[in-house]
Structures are given as C-alpha cells and as structure tokens.
C-alpha cells in the first residue's frame, strides 16, 4: 500500500498522499494530486448520480487517487465505475482505495483518456482536469453514450472570468465579461464551449446543474442526439452588452457593435425538476449541500440578469440593504431571487431603470427601517 493518510468522505474511506492540497485551486504536490476542498464537488457528483437513478456505467477520466470514482462506486447503487488516470503513480492509490472499500464494481485503469474514449463509451463521463477541460472535451464527448451525462469542471477561473482575457479568447474563442458579472459569465462561456463542441457531433445538451463554487466552474449536461437537438442548443448561444459605468445589460443572438462580449450560453443553468430529486443526506459536507440545493432550487434562470448589492451600492452611492429583505421587496415588483454565484448577488427580470429607484427607495440611507 502506498504511503499516505486515510480520510473519511461521505460513507467512503480514501487513502490520499500525506502532502496534498487543502484549499484553493491547489498546487500539484508530489506525483498524485488530491484536494480536500473538492469534497463538495465530489458530493455533488454523488447527489446528481443518485438523482439520475444510478444503474449506469461511469468513467472518471482523470481520477488521480480514485477519490471520486470510489465514492461513486461505494455510494451510488448500480454503478459500474472505471477509475482512470494516465499516471502510473496513481495506480497504487486507486487499487488501495478499491480494496479499502471492498469494491467489486470499480476497475482501475491507467490509460490515456483519448484512447479510452475512442474504444469505450459510458453513461456518465466525469472530466475534472487540473486547469482547462478544453484539450480533453472532444474525447469526453466521444466517450459519452446516447442520453448520457457529461460532468465537466474548469479550474482556469482567471481566463474564464476575464482576468486573463487573451487566454480566454485562445482557449474558448470568447470575449469574457468583467466586473460583478464575471463569474456567471465564465460559467456560461464554459457551457457555450461544450455546446459548440457537441454540435460538431450532431448532438445537443440539456443542462441539469451548473454552478460556480470556490475556485472552479462545474456543469452537468444531458447529451441529446441529433442535428435538430444540436441546432436547438446552438440557438441558445448569444452575445452580451455590459456597461460598468451605467450598469446596462442586454443580450443578442448575434454579435454587433454593442454586443461584443461572448458568445455565452444564454439558456438555463439548471433543470429545476431534476434539482427537486437531489438529496443531501449523508454527504461529506451535508450542511453546505443543503444550502446550495436551496439556492439552486430558488434561483431564477434564463432571461434574467445577475446583479450585486455592492455594484448597485457603489453606482448609487447608497448603503446596501440586507439582501434577503431586498429580494423579498423586489418580488413585489417583478421576479427576483438570490444567486448562488456570491452571497451578495441576486437575479431579477426588473428592468434597470426600475431597479435603481427601487434600490434607492429600500436603502437604509433613504430612511427606511430594514
């Protein structure tokens, strides 16, 4: 058995290297990577697969220690899991974790994922690379069966959120948005890239759950076959105008002089019916899972814009009210919800020229008791 320490995550014991990342995007330490902070990410995989009914073949394409793969095999009934990593150094950890949990439904694999997905297909393909998923996306799509699920993580948040715009243009062929919209923009750029790649194979997608947390973007999409599905998916891509001076936002299906940002995915982030079937019981970070499920289930989705309390406060030079009370107030005038993107962000379909006076009216500086 390789050196390391055993951690308990959910109902699963996981042997990991003694030196490993604990928080943040992490740095590659040693030859086999493990990040404790990604336990929430792994929790969500379990919740999604359980809600999808289990009983499917699963490929964890870049499994490293096998932490996600063994948790799926151990905690999602009916799964047959391939725990794959290209590094031979990962194999002892994968095998040890399979043995540690007495799993007969998890198979170690040390292959280049491109060759794996050229020869085999799976009902669920998980792609969680160190950095951008773009170099591996086509292969992951090839490895995903009809009506299968693609689970994609991107940890290159700086390019996607516009801090390194040239890199975003190169990797994702998209112009990122900056300011308080940057993280939702980054998530929608990732989803746009997946949609465009699927369309090359005459396939479309139906988002099940998509979110930003900690240092990464994550999306789960159901793959839909056929040219018509691909065309429907591509019709949900578009461009954005965002003026940080005036706070004005708008979208367009085509790029023009005003709508120069993007393209972005402009469709839903989540499938609300699917979210209702997800359960947090038994997760490693159960309280956090409950909190995020509540946010996702109540979050307004397409055809709304995300704003931030600090953004409006700075623009109007007024103190911000409490977000929960302000969202409740906005729902008397239109539709509004908190956003999972940040504790101070919210979404609404109320036009900006109506939203700003409502914020001024509800600000503590207006003399209103909040």
């Amino acid at each position: 058995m390789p050196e390391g320490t055993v951690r308990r995550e959910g109902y699963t014991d996981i042997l990991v290297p003694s030196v490993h990342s604990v928080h943040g995007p992490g740095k590659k330490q040693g030859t086999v990577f493990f990040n404790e902070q990604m336990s929430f990410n792994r929790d969500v995989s379990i919740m999604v697969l359980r809600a999808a009914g289990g009983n499917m073949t699963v490929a964890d394409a870049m499994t490293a220690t096998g932490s996600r793969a063994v948790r799926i095999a151990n905690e999602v009934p009916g799964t047959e899991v391939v725990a794959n990593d290209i590094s031979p150094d990962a194999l002892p950890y994968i095998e040890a974790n399979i043995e540690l949990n007495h799993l007969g439904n998890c198979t170690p694999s040390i292959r280049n994922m491109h060759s794996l997905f050229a020869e085999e297909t799976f009902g669920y393909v998980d792609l969680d690379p160190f950095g951008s998923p773009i170099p591996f996306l086509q292969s992951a799509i090839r490895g995903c069966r009809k009506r299968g699920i693609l689970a994609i993580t991107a940890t290159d948040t700086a390019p996607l959120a516009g801090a390194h715009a040239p890199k975003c243009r190169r990797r994702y062929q998209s112009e990122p948005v900056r300011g308080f919209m940057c993280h939702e923009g980054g998530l929608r750029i990732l989803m746009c890239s997946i949609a465009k790649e699927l369309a090359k194979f005459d396939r479309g997608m139906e988002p099940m759950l998509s979110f930003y947390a900690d240092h990464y973007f994550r999306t789960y999409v159901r793959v839909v076959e056929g040219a018509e599905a691909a065309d429907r998916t591509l019709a949900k891509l578009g461009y954005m105008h965002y003026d940080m001076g005036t706070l004005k936002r708008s979208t367009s299906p085509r790029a023009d002089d005003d709508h120069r940002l993007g393209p972005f995915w402009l469709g839903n982030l989540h499938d609300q019916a699917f979210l209702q079937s997800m359960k947090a019981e038994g997760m490693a970070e159960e309280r956090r899972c409950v909190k995020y499920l509540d946010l996702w289930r109540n979050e307004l989705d397409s055809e709304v814009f995300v704003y931030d309390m600090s953004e409006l406060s700075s623009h109007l030079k007024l103190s911000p009210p409490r977000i929960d009370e302000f969202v409740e107030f906005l729902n008397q005038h239109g539709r509004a919800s908190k956003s999972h993107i940040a504790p101070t962000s919210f979404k609404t379909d109320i036009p900006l020229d109506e939203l700003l006076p409502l914020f001024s009216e509800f600000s503590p500086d207006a003399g209103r008791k909040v």
Side-chain angles (χ1 to χ4, degrees):
M1 183 174 290
E3 65 80 27
T5 182
V6 175
R7 299 185 71 254
R8 183 79 169 177
E9 231 181 65
Y11 299 126
T12 306
D13 291 323
I14 305 169
L15 176 70
V16 302
S18 299
V19 179
H20 58 262
S21 296
V22 177
H23 53 76
K27 295 181 180 179
K28 286 190 175 180
Q29 302 184 62
T31 55
V32 182
F33 181 74
F34 178 80
N35 190 348
E36 283 187 31
Q37 191 182 47
M38 293 296 274
S39 62
F40 173 68
N41 185 304
R42 293 184 283 270
D43 279 346
V44 177
S45 296
I46 304 299
M47 293 193 293
V48 166
L49 277 164
R50 286 179 178 173
N55 298 312
M56 68 179 73
T57 55
V58 171
D60 187 7
M62 296 176 162
T63 199
T65 61
S67 55
R68 189 190 308 270
V70 295
R71 281 200 64 189
I72 291 171
N74 193 43
E75 299 179 37
V76 184
T79 50
E80 291 289 335
V81 183
V82 171
N84 182 74
D85 200 280
I86 195 172
S87 171
D89 294 325
L91 183 60
Y93 286 95
I94 299 169
E95 292 178 332
N97 283 317
I98 291 172
E99 183 179 350
L100 196 60
N101 293 279
H102 312 291
L103 299 173
N105 61 331
C106 189
T107 304
S109 170
I110 305 298
R111 296 185 63 179
N112 185 312
M113 62 158 283
H114 300 296
S115 65
L116 172 66
F117 291 137
E119 297 176 11
E120 298 183 47
T121 58
F122 300 84
Y124 174 99
V125 171
D126 201 296
L127 182 58
D128 189 358
F130 193 91
S132 174
I134 291 300
F136 315 103
L137 193 50
Q138 274 204 7
S139 293
I141 290 170
R142 286 192 183 95
C144 192
R145 290 179 182 167
K146 293 180 180 180
R147 296 296 298 173
I149 298 171
L150 279 174
I152 311 290
T153 300
T155 60
D156 56 335
T157 50
L160 283 164
H164 298 155
K167 192 174 289 187
C168 185
R169 296 181 198 117
R170 288 197 308 273
R171 287 181 179 170
Y172 297 92
Q173 288 81 56
S174 186
E175 188 67 33
V177 62
R178 292 296 291 140
F180 288 99
M181 298 185 70
C182 69
H183 287 116
E184 176 145 344
L187 178 59
R188 291 183 178 277
I189 288 172
L190 171 64
M191 296 175 72
C192 172
S193 296
I194 297 168
K196 290 191 293 184
E197 212 61 51
L198 280 164
K200 295 176 183 178
F201 296 85
D202 285 342
R203 306 173 100 178
M205 72 183 197
E206 296 172 350
M208 303 165 73
L209 168 63
S210 311
F211 64 94
Y212 166 72
D214 302 323
H215 59 277
Y216 61 88
F217 300 103
R218 177 77 162 171
T219 186
Y220 297 82
V221 301
R222 176 82 69 181
V223 175
V224 186
E225 301 299 315
E228 289 185 8
D231 290 342
R232 286 195 304 270
T233 295
L234 291 177
K236 295 177 181 177
L237 307 184
Y239 295 81
M240 181 180 289
H241 167 76
Y242 174 50
D243 187 323
M244 284 191 279
T246 64
L247 308 191
K248 288 183 179 178
R249 301 139 154 85
S250 62
T251 61
S252 169
R254 289 169 294 278
D256 56 36
D257 289 342
D258 284 331
H259 300 89
R260 296 180 298 101
L261 302 173
F264 303 95
W265 169 258
L266 299 181
N268 288 348
L269 297 179
H270 319 305
D271 178 339
Q272 286 297 333
F274 181 78
L275 288 179
Q276 296 305 316
S277 62
M278 290 176 61
K279 307 296 181 187
E281 289 80 9
M283 294 299 99
E285 298 190 38
E286 186 171 320
R287 289 180 62 183
R288 190 179 185 192
C289 290
V290 169
K291 173 187 171 182
Y292 269 81
L293 281 175
D294 182 65
L295 283 168
W296 295 330
R297 287 168 177 166
N298 291 289
E299 186 172 22
L300 294 178
D301 216 333
S302 64
E303 300 178 7
V304 293
F305 288 112
V306 63
Y307 295 88
D308 194 276
M309 301 295 284
S310 299
E311 176 186 27
L312 271 63
S313 177
S314 175
H315 180 75
L316 294 170
K317 304 202 170 19
L318 293 170
S319 300
R322 294 188 180 94
I323 187 169
D324 291 296
E325 295 176 2
F326 183 57
V327 167
E328 185 178 347
F329 173 67
L330 289 181
N331 275 303
Q332 301 170 23
H333 302 270
R335 295 188 305 144
S337 74
K338 293 176 71 174
S339 166
H340 79 273
I341 295 291
T344 54
S345 66
F346 67 94
K347 293 181 177 180
T348 185
D349 62 357
I350 298 172
L352 182 65
D353 59 358
E354 297 176 29
L355 177 63
L356 293 176
L358 290 171
F359 188 91
S360 298
E361 177 186 346
F362 208 72
S363 168
D365 297 342
R368 188 181 186 94
K369 185 179 180 181
V370 297

